[in-house]
Amino acid sequence: MHVSAAFDSGNIEVVDASDPSAVRLRIRKDAGGDHMQWFHFRISGVRDVPLTLVIENAKDCSYPEAWPGYQAVASTDRDTWFRVDTTYEGGALRITHTPDADAIWFAYFAPYSHERHQDLVADAQSAGARLEVLGRTVDGRDLDALTVGEGPRAIWVIARQHPGESMAEWWMEGFLARLLDADDALARRLKSKATFHVVPNMNPDGSVRGHLRNNAAGANLNREWETPTVERSPEVKAVRDAMDATGVDLCLDVHGDEELPYNFVAGAEGIPGWTERMATLQKTFCAAYEVADPDFQTVHGYPDDHSTRANMTLCTTQIAQRFDCLAMTLEQPFKDTADTPELIHGWSPERAKRLGAAVLDAFAAVIDGLRP
Ligand code: ZN
């Protein structure tokens, strides 16, 4: 039996893999040392072998409260990722499964590779998007942005500031496919009214390194929007500078939430510049999104922040305040949607893609209310 994580977005440390009924594993920390929860590894030589995998430092992860009710994903073809029996006991995550293949991959959520990212931007380019490199990451990767449409309004859509939230880039795949579909009349109308600036992966270094939240310099990018620097957060600096150049009429920042089994939006309610106009637009957006895809809902989410001063280091708060515009964070579950569960796959790439495609209906509901 071999355990390996020496590949794109791999993350695991082997403590002891001598006994298949008690494989002792640990999740490796992100650069910066303050976060970990993403795992992704392969086990080979285990056809028909009953496996029990024990992630011993689960209790020390960034969101230990997320483990109860969580089921890990596995795949033998790296295409379909199914849920496997997972329990959280005594601070350890215990995964049990008997593979019907020689090698099997396990992960926190269906991975989205850097190779697939390159296919995504190449496909978008072929379908008519402009592809621009906004800057370089700490590890020297290109920070890709796609521009779609020719309308006067500027809509920014970014994803994967937190690299372990791979569902955010699956969402992007569905969103871009529909936005670029020349036969989709709603997409054509939106593109005549707005120019879409799309960053499918804000944190390619963290993605390749198998991080949960940080970039290669150890920065949590969604705490860098007030004062990004070239040394620590070049990814945010490049995107914020580009936003300053285009202006922003709407910004959507796509994430995943470790704990809550819902798709929901978190707004910029706590900022000094919050307005009734923003509140109305956000409500309209969410109502239309819920109709377009019932996997999205508005009942459950983060508690209201009205009384507390907003944290201006986040993308959503910084951009809403900076541009006096509608800015929102979209959260998807790692687990499943509690109201519309799908037991074999849970929340999955396919469903994330559908949710990404459905956002066009929500944009359509608010687009005439955005400046100019
Ligand atoms: Zn996030």
Side-chain angles (χ1 to χ4, degrees):
M1 182 173 72
H2 300 276
V3 182
S4 171
F7 46 77
D8 182 345
S9 80
N11 183 329
I12 209 69
E13 288 172 2
V14 179
V15 179
D16 183 356
S18 57
D19 177 4
S21 70
V23 181
R24 298 175 55 203
L25 304 168
R26 292 174 65 81
I27 298 174
R28 178 168 42 78
K29 284 186 170 175
D30 293 4
D34 55 345
H35 282 293
M36 63 173 167
Q37 192 128 358
W38 172 263
F39 58 89
H40 179 199
F41 54 92
R42 179 172 113 150
I43 307 190
S44 316
V46 290
R47 181 182 289 268
D48 299 328
V49 177
L51 292 173
T52 298
L53 316 174
V54 185
I55 298 179
E56 297 184 332
N57 60 348
K59 66 179 182 306
D60 302 322
C61 286
S62 300
Y63 303 96
E65 298 298 318
W67 296 127
Y70 166 76
Q71 307 284 294
V73 297
S75 178
T76 54
D77 61 8
R78 298 205 319 128
D79 184 27
T80 300
W81 294 82
F82 52 88
R83 300 281 166 167
V84 288
D85 285 342
T86 308
T87 57
Y88 180 60
E89 305 157 21
L93 197 71
R94 196 174 297 268
I95 302 167
T96 54
H97 184 66
T98 304
D100 59 3
D102 294 324
I104 183 165
W105 287 257
F106 292 91
Y108 186 31
F109 193 83
Y112 197 102
S113 71
H114 192 59
E115 193 64 23
R116 193 171 183 113
H117 166 81
Q118 302 215 59
D119 287 343
L120 176 69
V121 295
D123 288 350
Q125 170 173 260
S126 301
R130 298 295 304 270
L131 171 57
E132 187 185 354
V133 175
L134 294 182
R136 293 220 178 273
T137 67
V138 174
D139 282 339
R141 290 191 175 83
D142 291 341
L143 189 67
D144 292 329
L146 298 162
T147 308
V148 182
E150 58 287 324
R153 299 164 184 87
I155 296 183
W156 278 81
V157 188
I158 70 169
R160 230 177 160 188
Q161 290 200 71
H162 296 142
E165 296 160 10
S166 53
M167 61 285 282
E169 200 160 5
W170 290 112
W171 181 100
M172 271 289 177
E173 206 171 293
F175 165 59
L176 283 166
R178 186 171 177 205
L179 187 65
L180 289 162
D181 183 350
D183 295 321
D184 192 304
L186 186 65
R188 289 215 312 268
R189 175 166 294 172
L190 286 172
K191 286 182 286 192
S192 74
K193 293 185 173 188
T195 301
F196 289 83
H197 304 275
V198 182
V199 184
N201 188 346
M202 286 287 298
N203 195 342
D205 293 351
S207 305
V208 172
R209 285 167 171 247
H211 289 177
L212 178 74
R213 280 171 87 78
N214 292 351
N215 72 354
N220 175 352
L221 294 185
N222 205 25
R223 299 294 182 276
E224 294 285 320
W225 286 78
E226 195 162 30
T227 48
T229 64
V230 172
E231 297 73 31
R232 183 172 163 78
S233 45
E235 301 90 351
V236 172
K237 182 155 193 344
V239 171
R240 207 188 70 173
D241 287 351
M243 288 175 165
D244 284 345
T246 64
V248 183
D249 296 305
L250 189 162
C251 180
L252 185 64
D253 177 21
V254 186
H255 285 251
D257 184 273
E258 289 79 1
E259 297 179 10
L260 295 176
Y262 303 101
N263 288 294
F264 60 95
V265 150
E269 287 87 347
I271 63 167
W274 180 251
T275 62
E276 206 49 52
R277 177 180 159 273
M278 289 179 191
T280 303
L281 283 170
Q282 185 169 312
K283 215 171 164 184
T284 304
F285 175 93
C286 289
Y289 208 176
E290 196 170 22
V291 171
D293 188 339
D295 273 340
F296 180 84
Q297 55 79 57
T298 55
V299 176
H300 304 274
Y302 297 140
D304 266 346
D305 251 328
H306 292 260
S307 57
T308 56
R309 199 181 136 80
N311 180 347
M312 299 305 291
T313 66
L314 276 64
C315 173
T316 287
T317 48
Q318 178 64 222
I319 298 310
Q321 181 71 28
R322 196 179 186 88
F323 297 98
D324 182 27
C325 71
L326 176 62
M328 298 167 289
T329 310
L330 174 66
E331 298 284 354
Q332 301 168 69
F334 275 85
K335 298 171 177 172
D336 199 351
T337 50
D339 300 328
T340 50
E342 200 275 81
L343 298 179
I344 295 178
H345 306 97
W347 190 244
S348 64
E350 196 49 52
R351 295 172 73 194
K353 285 195 254 181
R354 302 288 174 102
L355 189 68
V359 81
L360 267 63
D361 291 77
F363 285 148
V366 295
I367 195 153
D368 291 330
L370 306 175
R371 294 155 302 159

